[in-house]
Amino acid sequence: MNLLIQEQIAKVFTVHKGIPLFYIESGSRLWNIASPNSDYDVRGFHLQSQEQYYDFRKHRDVIEVMDGDFDFVSYDLDKMFGLLAQGNPNTYEWIRAHLIYFNALPDWSSFSKELTNHLNFSNLYYHYFSLAKTHWKLLASGNKFTYKVVFYCLRGLLSADIARQGILPELTVEKLFDQFDTNFPVLSMAKESLERKQQELETQEVAEAERGSMVRVIQEYMSSMESNQPRREDKAESLERMLREYNFQLKNQFYR
């Protein structure tokens, strides 16, 4: 499938102007929880063509393509680095992804390691906790109390808990589970929900009799985390300096 995805990426840049730089698999396939019918969520970034870059008019900074199960989003370099400078957790997941389809970046290993060292754990915590709360609202409303929603809520909470401790949450869900030393109700519930998902029962509604105890467990876990939130960090200056230097290096290489 890698070769097919690489061909799709190449096809995108026969239609859209730009220089492809870096593309990975995001979402459920990255987390190793994909269903047989899951899309390929390809994410990454590109350089604008020289014509676009030197043009006095501003060009769109995103390329988006949806073709069957090929879901492609590419940011131009300046937008991508702007998001990294802000500590955007989604883009840091892209940087950390192990499913890489295309990489034309020089000194990638050292650069990505440095980026990860600048990761803001408080941003990461609030990102995952916010994702969990979004799914929690669906559960609390009772309108979509499915195993899939339960799982996504719990994955967010578990990832937030690890980030709160100043540790990088693993992206693949099995490794995330292994970051906890002991089993406890939320972890057990997450494992059970994942098992249902793997059995293709993810859209199944949770039985009414089970919902009350699940809600209590989730509420208690969320409350304990809200009362012990991490301190906000500030690594902006050194991060911006590193991104600026690498940005210059890339443009000097590709636009010379």
Side-chain angles (χ1 to χ4, degrees):
M1 181 54 69
N2 273 17
L3 184 58
L4 291 175
I5 297 297
Q6 289 166 0
E7 289 173 355
Q8 289 274 50
I9 294 169
K11 182 181 173 183
V12 168
F13 287 95
T14 63
V15 177
H16 297 270
K17 293 181 179 180
I19 303 166
L21 293 177
F22 181 78
Y23 296 98
I24 57 88
E25 179 65 41
S26 182
S28 61
R29 293 184 186 276
L30 175 62
W31 307 330
N32 200 27
I33 58 172
S35 303
N37 60 348
S38 292
D39 289 341
Y40 287 86
D41 298 316
V42 180
R43 302 290 183 265
F45 53 104
H46 63 278
L47 268 172
Q48 292 188 341
S49 67
Q50 281 188 291
E51 177 187 345
Q52 291 172 322
Y53 183 69
Y54 290 109
D55 195 350
F56 67 89
R57 295 167 298 181
K58 183 172 176 60
H59 292 264
R60 191 163 186 260
D61 55 10
V62 181
I63 298 172
E64 296 171 292
V65 175
M66 188 72 194
D67 184 4
D69 62 359
F70 178 69
D71 181 353
F72 178 87
V73 177
S74 180
Y75 295 152
D76 78 18
L77 181 67
D78 291 346
K79 181 177 179 68
M80 178 70 180
F81 277 20
L83 291 168
L84 288 171
Q86 294 167 19
N88 178 275
N90 281 327
T91 53
Y92 272 91
E93 278 203 1
W94 302 359
I95 295 299
R96 296 171 54 214
H98 58 280
L99 296 176
I100 300 174
Y101 294 126
F102 183 89
N103 186 358
L105 297 169
D107 305 319
W108 172 248
S109 179
S110 58
F111 177 68
S112 59
K113 184 177 179 181
E114 275 299 302
L115 269 178
T116 302
N117 289 340
H118 281 82
L119 186 60
N120 188 313
F121 284 99
S122 61
N123 280 359
L124 203 59
Y125 164 83
Y126 288 109
H127 167 71
Y128 284 121
F129 196 73
S130 176
L131 287 177
K133 286 172 74 173
T134 297
H135 290 92
W136 164 248
K137 289 175 183 176
L138 291 173
L139 298 176
S141 70
N143 294 328
K144 204 169 184 181
F145 212 119
T146 65
Y147 286 101
K148 180 178 181 179
V149 175
V150 170
F151 175 76
Y152 278 109
C153 177
L154 298 180
R155 176 187 172 269
L157 290 176
L158 293 170
S159 297
D161 196 355
I162 292 295
R164 183 171 59 92
Q165 301 171 50
I167 302 169
L168 273 174
E170 291 285 351
L171 297 178
T172 57
V173 70
E174 295 89 351
K175 290 182 179 179
L176 173 65
F177 292 163
D178 289 343
Q179 288 184 286
F180 294 88
D181 294 331
T182 57
N183 213 1
F184 57 103
V186 166
L187 186 58
S188 298
M189 196 187 304
K191 290 178 179 178
E192 181 185 348
S193 301
L194 177 60
E195 188 176 331
R196 299 273 186 159
K197 179 176 173 56
Q198 291 170 334
Q199 294 169 355
E200 299 184 42
L201 300 172
E202 61 182 28
T203 58
Q204 178 180 318
E205 292 277 338
V206 177
E208 290 280 355
E210 298 178 37
R211 295 185 186 186
S213 60
M214 294 175 83
V215 164
R216 284 193 295 275
V217 167
I218 295 171
Q219 278 183 319
E220 288 174 7
Y221 194 45
M222 290 178 72
S223 296
S224 68
M225 291 175 63
E226 284 184 311
S227 62
N228 191 20
Q229 296 178 353
R231 291 182 300 173
R232 293 194 178 274
E233 302 172 284
D234 186 6
K235 301 178 180 180
E237 187 175 340
S238 58
L239 174 59
E240 286 184 9
R241 182 171 58 251
M242 184 184 68
L243 289 169
R244 189 178 300 110
E245 290 171 357
Y246 195 69
N247 186 296
F248 179 83
Q249 179 185 347
L250 287 176
K251 289 175 179 174
N252 191 50
Q253 174 180 327
F254 285 98
Y255 290 149
R256 64 185 176 187

